[in-house]
Amino acid sequence: MESKLRSTLMASILWTTATAAPPASGPIKYTDLLNSTIPNAPTNLTNLFLPGLAPSELIQSSACKVYPEDANWPSDSAWEALNKVTDNRLLTRPSPQASVCYDGPLYDPEKCAELTATWSSSYSHYIDPVEMMSPVAQGMTCMPPNVFDSHNCTRGGFPAYVINATEPKHVQLGVNFARNTGVRLVVKNTGHDFLGKSGGKDALSIWTHHFKSIEYIEEYTDESLKWSGPAFKSGVGVQAFEIYKFAHEKGHSVVGGEGETVGVMGGYIQGGGHSPLTSLYGTGADQVLSFDVITAAGDFITANSTSYTDIFWAMRGGGGSTFGVATSVTVKAFPDHPTTASRFSFTSEKIGNETFWAGVRSYVDSFIPNADAGTYSYFTLIPNVWTGIFTFNMSPFFAPNKTLEETKALLQPWFTELGNLGITFDPNITHFDNYYDAWRSSFPLEVVSKVNATTSSRMFPRANFETADKREELYQNLRQSSENNRVQVHFNIKAVDPLNTDNAVNSAWRENILFAQQAVRWPVNGTAEEILRIRQEFQTGDMQRWRDISPGAGAYLAEADRLEPNFGQAFWGDKYDKLVELKRKLDPYDVFFATTSVGSERWKVHSVDGLPNENGKLCRVDAE
Ligand SMILES: Cc1cc2nc3c(=O)[nH]c(=O)nc-3n(C[C@H](O)[C@H](O)[C@H](O)COP(=O)(O)OP(=O)(O)OC[C@H]3O[C@@H](n4cnc5c(N)ncnc54)[C@H](O)[C@@H]3O)c2cc1C
Ligand SMILES: *[C@@H]1O[C@H](CO)[C@@H](O)[C@H](O)[C@H]1NC(C)=O
Ligand SMILES: *[C@@H]1O[C@H](CO)[C@@H](O)[C@H](O)[C@H]1NC(C)=O
Ligand SMILES: *[C@@H]1O[C@H](CO)[C@@H](O)[C@H](O)[C@H]1NC(C)=O
Ligand SMILES: *[C@@H]1O[C@H](CO)[C@@H](O)[C@H](O)[C@H]1NC(C)=O
Ligand SMILES: *[C@@H]1O[C@H](CO)[C@@H](O)[C@H](O)[C@H]1NC(C)=O
Ligand SMILES: *[C@@H]1O[C@H](CO)[C@@H](O)[C@H](O)[C@H]1NC(C)=O
Ligand SMILES: *[C@@H]1O[C@H](CO)[C@@H](O)[C@H](O)[C@H]1NC(C)=O
Ligand SMILES: *[C@@H]1O[C@H](CO)[C@@H](O)[C@H](O)[C@H]1NC(C)=O
Ligand SMILES: *[C@@H]1O[C@H](CO)[C@@H](O)[C@H](O)[C@H]1NC(C)=O
Ligand SMILES: *[C@@H]1O[C@H](CO)[C@@H](O)[C@H](O)[C@H]1NC(C)=O
């Protein structure tokens, strides 16, 4: 009764706020679910699809989410009904891609060889309904044997059912079904998340990849967000390469990640998101003007500065899979800047360790001025234990809205030092007349799906670079990590929003000068105990050193380690308390969950091997 009342109320709100001529692909009214869609299910099952807030007492008090071995796992007819109401878009027990490598009906050695060859490319994973680019977080239960021998192929941390959603109502029905049955719900876009937050054993997954529409809005005005200018309304499945191209064709650019296949309108934008344009315009989340969202109650709403303002605040930085499932995002559009970029590298091979490190040390002096000038740099420090050689890769130095001369002038102080040290390198500084071409030429596709590594991160604030002593201390700590065989990836950027928007973005981003990542690796054949020990020692060792020299700073929630201690403070800083309060209010029954998401402390995945991955039941912590 209560949900019926709510729905009537909601329906009238949505009717009255609907614009005169909604596009054909526009909002599905709440009543469409109740009047035309749900009646397609057998009458004894319609309650599984009804919107509303409270699941049954049984679900509210059960220790774990509902699993196939439980008596109240939905019947086959319930899953069939879900398939029917979602226009036959339910995928049942989708096989892991590497099934083609193992005995069984899908065995196909040729396809297995193909998959093995392309395993490290993101292109062979985002197209799949379940695959995530962190197999370590999946539980490594079905891998191409020549990449990693999983001895067998089981679904492990992959979901049992996937809705291949293309319309908001598919998402509403999935959310309602999960909430009303107690089945675990996950959301997958591309699967890029470093922590594997798009997976969950035996879950129902909503796959948002096919929300691909992009609409150009010439003039969008929102006074309280201080924005009056062009915008794009983008489906949440849109990836970096798609929005950049579309924006370029309209003479614009948008803030998005460097990685070409990242789902910039999904986990990226809700999690904050850093970009080659971040030193100019802030984080991804700072660009959002409006979200279309399905809430935990199954409502389809618009969250913006005047409507559902608390969801709007929380979803700009609070992280994916926490407050709702977005179906579209409206973001600011910027001019398509001319851009100057440079890629180069040098190694310790001929010059020796001390000279090599002096070269790295001299670069640290440029971090504040370069970030303040609006530039971005992405560089790596790669150790090689076999040869004892270190490599520095600038990949790239990226200067949007800068001429060749301006860029050379910025790099000159450091290049002079490198010259004085006798370090030779070929900087190939190139000017492009637009962002899109500069981006395409400067960022090679990265390797994904590593089997024996995890990355952890730290946002080193301005305070770490303000004095020579502080710069020396920071440099010593980076060097120590290289000497401890950590692969390091660094971004010299600032992430200040010039419009100073109030949102849930990690307060540590606002102080950032160096966003730093280091990875721990372990023997591929290590036992679970060994791996866990190595990963824990990494957190208490090399990562703790980085935390110790940056007290109160944070880490980036989408490029982090599941073992990050005190993750609420690390991922959201002083925003965390408010986010937890909003989570309790907006999703009191934890319909949405992802490991290390806001409020996720109340739940734990009991993985079969005890490692931090998705291969196990999700249960309440207080039920232990
Ligand atoms: C090669 C590579 C390059 C990268 N480059 C960058 C970069 O330049 N800048 C940067 O900031 N990050 C970068 N990242 C990290 C990236 O931002 C995160 O992996 C991010 O989580 C990707 O979002 P996604 O939606 O594509 O991925 P997914 O893994 O599919 O989703 C991530 C999280 O968001 C949730 N989610 C996704 N869509 C929605 C939705 N519509 N509504 C609600 N929840 C949703 C998922 O449930 C999951 O919890 C990179 C990662 C990789 C692997
Ligand atoms: C939906 O059904 C209700 C009651 O059955 C009716 O009052 C309402 O007009 C219907 N709405 C639409 C959009 O069909
Ligand atoms: C619903 O009804 C169908 C027959 O129409 C029956 O097969 C099914 O078992 C019923 N389901 C439940 C959950 O009662
Ligand atoms: C492989 O997985 C199947 C299905 O879970 C299981 O029955 C079998 O015991 C497993 N085999 C090995 C060798 O682990
Ligand atoms: C998912 O839906 C899209 C769009 O309808 C379709 O092209 C694609 O083949 C579907 N994928 C799967 C695995 O069913
Ligand atoms: C927010 O969305 C609502 C509902 O679509 C709309 O009526 C309102 O104008 C929007 N607010 C702004 C500032 O655009
Ligand atoms: C440089 O340092 C590495 C690691 O600390 C070491 O293995 C290597 O031998 C050193 N190289 C030289 C030339 O001293
Ligand atoms: C881009 O450069 C022009 C010319 O120097 C300057 O006026 C403008 O403010 C710059 N834009 C940004 C966003 O910094
Ligand atoms: C310099 O970089 C540009 C753009 O990436 C590339 O096209 C060109 O071939 C490079 N030149 C040299 C000499 O490497
Ligand atoms: C990690 O695995 C790769 C192969 O996938 C291997 O080359 C590398 O040596 C492994 N690292 C360690 C530390 O075992
Ligand atoms: C892993 O492989 C190495 C080298 O082949 C071997 O020395 C080691 O004993 C193996 N470890 C385990 C746990 O099998």
Side-chain angles (χ1 to χ4, degrees):
M1 196 58 223
E2 200 191 315
S3 73
K4 185 75 196 182
L5 253 178
R6 284 187 76 259
S7 66
T8 314
L9 190 69
M10 271 306 306
S12 64
I13 291 172
L14 284 169
W15 280 122
T16 52
T17 58
T19 47
S25 62
I28 304 294
K29 301 302 170 297
Y30 203 73
T31 45
D32 289 353
L33 275 192
L34 301 169
N35 290 28
S36 58
T37 303
I38 295 179
N40 292 335
T43 48
N44 62 349
L45 294 171
T46 53
N47 62 338
L48 298 180
F49 304 104
L50 290 176
L53 216 64
S56 69
E57 288 297 328
L58 181 68
I59 291 169
Q60 284 185 39
S61 61
S62 70
C64 305
K65 296 279 179 178
V66 174
Y67 287 92
E69 60 272 28
D70 297 334
N72 51 342
W73 177 252
S75 62
D76 287 349
S77 53
W79 290 110
E80 275 163 32
L82 176 61
N83 184 35
K84 196 168 172 208
V85 294
T86 56
D87 306 321
N88 301 310
R89 305 194 69 84
L90 185 72
L91 311 173
T92 299
R93 298 180 193 283
S95 303
Q97 294 195 104
S99 302
V100 295
C101 303
Y102 291 88
D103 278 347
L106 297 176
Y107 180 66
D108 183 336
E110 253 173 58
K111 282 193 181 150
C112 177
E114 242 170 70
L115 183 66
T116 304
T118 59
W119 185 255
S120 66
S121 162
S122 57
Y123 281 87
S124 61
H125 299 284
Y126 76 70
I127 47 156
D128 185 81
V130 294
E131 198 76 53
M132 52 174 110
M133 297 180 208
S134 172
V136 167
Q138 183 273 344
M140 313 261 282
T141 64
C142 185
M143 303 283 289
N146 287 340
V147 174
F148 175 84
D149 193 359
S150 51
H151 304 294
N152 205 350
C153 178
T154 56
R155 266 184 303 107
F158 288 139
Y161 290 87
V162 177
I163 299 175
N164 184 4
T166 54
E167 293 176 33
K169 76 169 182 192
H170 301 144
V171 180
Q172 287 179 281
L173 291 160
V175 169
N176 291 343
F177 185 90
R179 187 190 57 250
N180 294 333
T181 59
V183 168
R184 181 174 173 192
L185 182 72
V186 303
V187 180
K188 186 202 162 181
N189 185 23
T190 63
H192 274 80
D193 190 88
F194 278 30
L195 303 89
K197 288 180 285 186
S198 65
K201 184 180 178 60
D202 290 326
L204 166 62
S205 172
I206 295 172
W207 188 28
T208 58
H209 179 60
H210 290 100
F211 281 96
K212 286 288 193 189
S213 66
I214 312 177
E215 183 195 335
Y216 175 53
I217 302 167
E218 267 183 57
E219 187 68 24
Y220 187 106
T221 301
D222 185 324
E223 278 171 20
S224 68
L225 294 174
K226 296 176 222 134
W227 186 256
S228 183
F232 291 102
K233 181 172 184 177
S234 168
V236 292
V238 168
Q239 291 164 279
F241 66 91
E242 294 164 323
I243 189 73
Y244 286 165
K245 181 165 190 285
F246 191 90
H248 174 58
E249 285 163 3
K250 301 284 179 201
H252 290 292
S253 63
V254 295
V255 172
E258 54 78 22
E260 66 187 68
T261 55
V262 168
V264 288
M265 299 299 168
Y268 168 89
I269 206 157
Q270 289 183 40
H274 60 83
S275 165
L277 296 177
T278 279
S279 295
L280 289 181
Y281 299 122
T283 67
D286 298 332
Q287 315 311 321
V288 179
L289 298 163
S290 181
F291 284 111
D292 285 339
V293 181
I294 283 81
T295 66
D299 298 334
F300 180 51
I301 58 126
T302 294
N304 61 23
S305 70
T306 56
S307 160
Y308 294 90
T309 53
D310 46 9
I311 296 187
F312 184 53
W313 186 86
M315 286 181 68
R316 284 175 300 155
S321 199
T322 306
F323 300 99
V325 184
T327 55
S328 79
V329 195
T330 305
V331 296
K332 298 168 191 170
F334 296 104
D336 191 354
H337 305 292
T339 296
T340 304
S342 175
R343 297 169 53 83
F344 57 91
S345 62
F346 56 87
T347 79
S348 65
E349 188 175 6
K350 299 217 169 70
I351 55 179
N353 287 337
E354 292 316 312
T355 303
F356 173 86
W357 284 109
V360 174
R361 168 68 190 84
S362 66
Y363 181 30
V364 179
D365 292 337
S366 295
F367 287 177
I368 287 182
N370 286 356
D372 284 346
T375 67
Y376 162 107
S377 78
Y378 172 172
F379 64 94
T380 59
L381 284 168
I382 316 283
N384 184 326
V385 273
W386 309 114
T387 59
I389 295 169
F390 297 107
T391 303
F392 174 97
N393 283 306
M394 178 59 81
S395 175
F397 184 84
F398 201 78
N401 200 28
K402 292 265 183 284
T403 63
L404 197 63
E405 289 64 36
E406 289 167 333
T407 307
K408 283 181 175 164
L410 270 174
L411 289 166
Q412 202 49 59
W414 175 37
F415 284 1
T416 302
E417 287 299 316
L418 291 180
N420 293 343
L421 289 162
I423 298 178
T424 54
F425 59 101
D426 174 11
N428 186 4
I429 306 175
T430 307
H431 187 72
F432 300 84
D433 66 9
N434 66 82
Y435 171 81
Y436 182 62
D437 288 339
W439 170 76
R440 277 198 312 172
S441 309
S442 307
F443 293 94
L445 195 65
E446 292 135 311
V447 166
V448 299
S449 295
K450 297 181 191 96
V451 299
N452 54 353
T454 304
T455 292
S456 194
S457 67
R458 195 71 184 159
M459 294 171 189
F460 287 110
R462 191 170 287 264
N464 282 99
F465 305 91
E466 278 174 337
T467 66
D469 284 353
K470 280 288 173 191
R471 292 193 291 274
E472 178 66 18
E473 176 188 63
L474 185 283
Y475 146 78
Q476 287 293 352
N477 275 278
L478 302 191
R479 179 171 180 173
Q480 185 66 61
S481 290
S482 285
E483 287 171 352
N484 291 351
N485 193 27
R486 307 305 178 200
V487 169
Q488 300 182 58
V489 175
H490 294 277
F491 299 84
N492 173 211
I493 46 175
K494 69 172 183 181
V496 179
D497 172 16
L499 299 177
N500 199 21
T501 314
D502 176 28
N503 58 28
V505 168
N506 193 342
S507 41
W509 266 132
R510 306 311 186 189
E511 292 294 314
N512 184 76
I513 288 293
L514 184 70
F515 171 52
Q517 302 175 1
Q518 58 178 332
V520 58
R521 294 177 284 183
W522 52 83
V524 238
N525 65 350
T527 63
E529 291 71 23
E530 268 176 308
I531 294 170
L532 191 60
R533 182 181 49 76
I534 291 169
R535 291 184 60 172
Q536 283 167 341
E537 283 173 3
F538 171 58
Q539 280 300 338
T540 56
D542 286 313
M543 274 311 297
Q544 193 53 44
R545 275 192 302 101
W546 284 18
R547 283 187 285 265
D548 286 345
I549 61 162
S550 56
Y556 173 32
L557 66 92
E559 298 182 320
D561 184 354
R562 283 180 172 238
L563 297 181
E564 175 74 32
N566 195 5
F567 67 81
Q569 187 282 327
F571 296 166
W572 293 282
D574 59 21
K575 313 278 176 70
Y576 195 54
D577 291 347
K578 180 172 171 187
L579 282 164
V580 168
E581 218 174 276
L582 286 174
K583 172 70 177 177
R584 290 203 181 255
K585 179 181 145 197
L586 298 167
D587 183 17
Y589 305 105
D590 290 333
V591 177
F592 303 116
F593 169 89
T595 293
T596 71
S597 63
V598 170
S600 62
E601 302 87 344
R602 295 197 287 279
W603 296 84
K604 184 172 183 249
V605 179
H606 295 262
S607 71
V608 296
D609 58 7
L611 285 170
N613 63 50
E614 288 301 334
N615 187 13
K617 282 190 185 185
L618 179 62
C619 298
R620 286 176 216 276
V621 166
D622 61 14
E624 277 174 2

